[in-house]
Amino acid sequence: MRIPLYKNPAAAPSGNEADNFAPYMDTFLVGGACTPLGLVVVLPGGGYSHRAYHEGDPIAQRFNELGFHAVVVQYRVRPYTYPAGVNDVARAIRIIRANAEKWKVDPDKIAVCGFSAGGHLAGTAGLYYQDATHVEGDEADQFSARPDAMLLCYPVIAATEEFSHKGSALNLLGPDASESDKAKMDLHKAVTEDTPPAFIWHTVTDQVVPVQNALAFGNAMIANNRLCEMHIFPEGPHGRGLGFACHALAQWTALAANFLSVTLDFPRGRKFTE
């Protein structure tokens, strides 16, 4: 089921009327669910310039196999700038909570799962959800936009550090961003005692987004006594999605599913495969 996020997307904050993209989400609901299940909000990567298909629908389908509902959010990217993307994710979470009873979703068990720049957006949604102030004047507006967990997959974390991915920061903030705006997007420096639990994975040999991004966020979570599980795989290039021919990486979805269901008590369907 495809659901537009806004009645008038051009009117949303940071909207650009020259760009006609209207953000939306596609739902992947586990069929036959008798009781509410946890849900994973999938955010594909793409350097904030596009959205990679292999980090969208196939991920949602895999989480269905693992017993969770999922949605894929097609959020705004360049020429839109911050906070357009986080507005889109916040709006999606509010819509999910507004429809939780009908869709058999546990409204207190919603995770965001992002890849590369989508991982940065997932982290931003967990840290800066209160920046999402756009309202549509409907029932969804009354619900919280805070995710209950973050799954960060080879994530971009920093905007100003030596190990940051400069292209993502440029696309996210635009060429005229102030130093304070850039510093705000160093997510490892924004972790607080309110930050949602995080599952993080990365590879040592990632030549596009250095593994230091994941390490910086994981260390910040630990320093702030936040719940965190991190897996650093020894090999694998950037953008592997479900694993792609990298056998060791393919286990990350089962690890993430166990983090959600065992560590965070996300309810999952009785029939699932690992």
Side-chain angles (χ1 to χ4, degrees):
M1 178 171 52
R2 179 159 296 178
I3 301 174
L5 296 183
Y6 304 104
K7 302 167 189 173
N8 181 16
S14 296
N16 183 337
E17 293 184 1
D19 181 45
N20 62 3
F21 177 73
Y24 61 91
M25 67 177 176
D26 289 327
T27 61
F28 293 78
L29 303 179
V30 175
C34 298
T35 58
L37 306 178
L39 182 144
V40 177
V41 177
V42 180
L43 307 174
Y48 284 115
S49 68
H50 64 283
R51 295 162 300 276
Y53 175 81
H54 76 284
E55 294 168 346
D57 290 12
I59 306 298
Q61 291 162 356
R62 176 60 178 148
F63 275 106
N64 281 174
E65 293 171 358
L66 290 164
F68 301 99
H69 296 310
V71 304
V72 178
V73 176
Q74 301 295 344
Y75 57 92
R76 284 171 291 176
V77 296
R78 190 182 65 191
Y80 294 102
T81 55
Y82 184 85
V86 75
N87 274 322
D88 297 344
V89 179
R91 176 66 180 166
I93 292 174
R94 288 178 172 133
I95 291 173
I96 292 163
R97 287 194 165 119
N99 288 278
E101 183 175 358
K102 179 170 62 176
W103 294 351
K104 290 290 191 292
V105 173
D106 185 332
D108 298 319
K109 300 296 181 183
I110 297 173
V112 286
C113 175
F115 299 78
S116 192
H120 187 276
L121 181 56
T124 305
L127 292 166
Y128 296 130
Y129 62 93
Q130 292 176 327
D131 282 8
T133 57
H134 180 67
V135 295
E136 286 285 288
D138 59 12
E139 179 189 5
D141 287 342
Q142 67 181 294
F143 291 91
S144 171
R146 182 184 185 275
D148 302 299
M150 305 177 293
L151 309 180
L152 309 180
C153 311
Y154 43 89
V156 174
I157 291 297
T160 69
E161 304 280 12
E162 181 180 349
F163 54 79
S164 65
H165 188 256
K166 304 300 184 185
S168 292
L170 178 62
N171 290 331
L172 173 64
L173 298 171
D176 301 320
S178 68
E179 291 305 311
S180 62
D181 287 341
K182 294 177 184 177
K184 183 177 181 178
M185 292 298 103
D186 283 340
L187 301 186
H188 58 301
K189 299 176 182 177
V191 174
T192 71
E193 60 183 14
D194 183 54
T195 300
F199 174 95
I200 310 165
W201 74 272
H202 215 120
T203 64
V204 174
T205 56
D206 192 322
Q207 296 299 307
V208 178
V209 176
V211 69
Q212 284 82 357
N213 283 268
L215 293 171
F217 197 83
N219 286 336
M221 292 288 286
I222 294 168
N224 284 273
N225 297 312
R226 302 307 297 147
L227 188 62
C228 178
E229 178 174 325
M230 183 161 56
H231 297 269
I232 304 299
F233 296 98
E235 295 181 337
H238 188 69
R240 292 299 88 187
L242 286 173
F244 281 144
C246 296
H247 181 70
L249 301 185
Q251 64 183 305
W252 80 262
T253 55
L255 293 170
N258 285 335
F259 174 75
L260 293 177
S261 64
V262 177
T263 304
L264 301 183
D265 201 29
F266 271 52
R268 62 198 294 193
R270 293 182 178 179
K271 294 181 180 181
F272 57 86
T273 61
E274 294 190 0

